[in-house]
């Protein structure tokens, strides 16, 4: 398993919804609670895995199993795949990484972190 220095670990937590399902009352409440509103672009190709989730242990098992398999697949086919996203619903864990439009998946805070790192 690849080790990453603690000061280089970063993640974003949020709520995803389809625009057609968007409830403005809920959106306003999330914004009041400190969430930022944004969107992800469409992608033509991606590497993704769907893994069933029954409890916390299955999440850990899924993560420990999926990432090495995805990384092996990406290396084998020499894909330019980043960033990784974990998406959860009531019964599944989805791990996805786009193969196009990747830079449009980074949130503003990522670029702020990257800029501080360069200074």
């Amino acid at each position: 398993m690849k080790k990453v220095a603690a000061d280089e670990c970063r993640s974003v937590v949020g709520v995803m919804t389809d625009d057609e399902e968007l409830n403005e009352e809920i959106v306003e409440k999330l914004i009041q609670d400190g969430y930022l509103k944004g969107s992800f672009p469409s992608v033509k190709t991606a590497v993704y895995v769907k893994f069933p989730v029954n409890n916390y242990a299955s999440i850990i098992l899924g993560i420990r199993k999926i990432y090495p398999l995805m990384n092996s697949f990406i290396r084998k086919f020499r894909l330019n795949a980043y960033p990784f996203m974990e998406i959860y619903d009531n019964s599944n864990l989805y791990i996805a990484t786009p193969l196009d439009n990747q830079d449009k998946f980074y949130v503003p805070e990522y670029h702020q972190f990257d800029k501080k790192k360069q200074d």
Side-chain angles (χ1 to χ4, degrees):
M1 185 173 276
K2 182 179 176 182
K3 298 287 182 185
V4 177
D7 64 336
E8 293 197 13
C9 291
R10 55 198 172 274
S11 62
V12 176
V13 176
V15 177
M16 292 177 68
T17 184
D18 187 323
D19 285 341
E20 294 173 10
E21 298 175 7
L22 207 56
N23 179 314
E24 286 302 322
E25 187 176 310
I26 293 173
V27 170
E28 289 304 317
K29 174 69 173 131
L30 290 169
I31 290 171
Q32 289 172 3
D33 289 343
Y35 286 84
L36 302 174
K37 188 175 177 182
S39 63
F40 290 119
S42 295
V43 293
K44 293 179 183 172
T45 55
V47 176
Y48 69 94
V49 173
K50 176 181 173 183
F51 189 84
V53 171
N54 302 316
N55 53 42
Y56 182 73
S58 63
I59 293 172
I60 300 303
L61 174 65
I63 290 170
R64 293 184 62 87
K65 186 176 182 180
I66 294 168
Y67 278 105
L69 291 171
M70 288 181 77
N71 284 324
S72 176
F73 180 86
I74 289 164
R75 278 192 305 275
K76 179 179 179 179
F77 292 99
R78 299 176 188 218
L79 301 173
N80 188 20
Y82 67 91
F84 281 83
M85 295 173 285
E86 292 177 20
I87 303 162
Y88 299 84
D89 65 17
N90 291 334
S91 56
N92 294 294
L93 158 62
Y94 305 86
I95 299 180
T97 180
L99 299 176
D100 59 274
N101 286 324
Q102 292 102 328
D103 291 334
K104 295 178 182 173
F105 281 86
Y106 288 101
V107 296
E109 292 82 1
Y110 172 82
H111 295 294
Q112 291 169 358
F113 174 84
D114 200 37
K115 187 176 180 181
K116 286 180 188 175
K117 190 176 167 185
Q118 291 174 356
D119 291 341

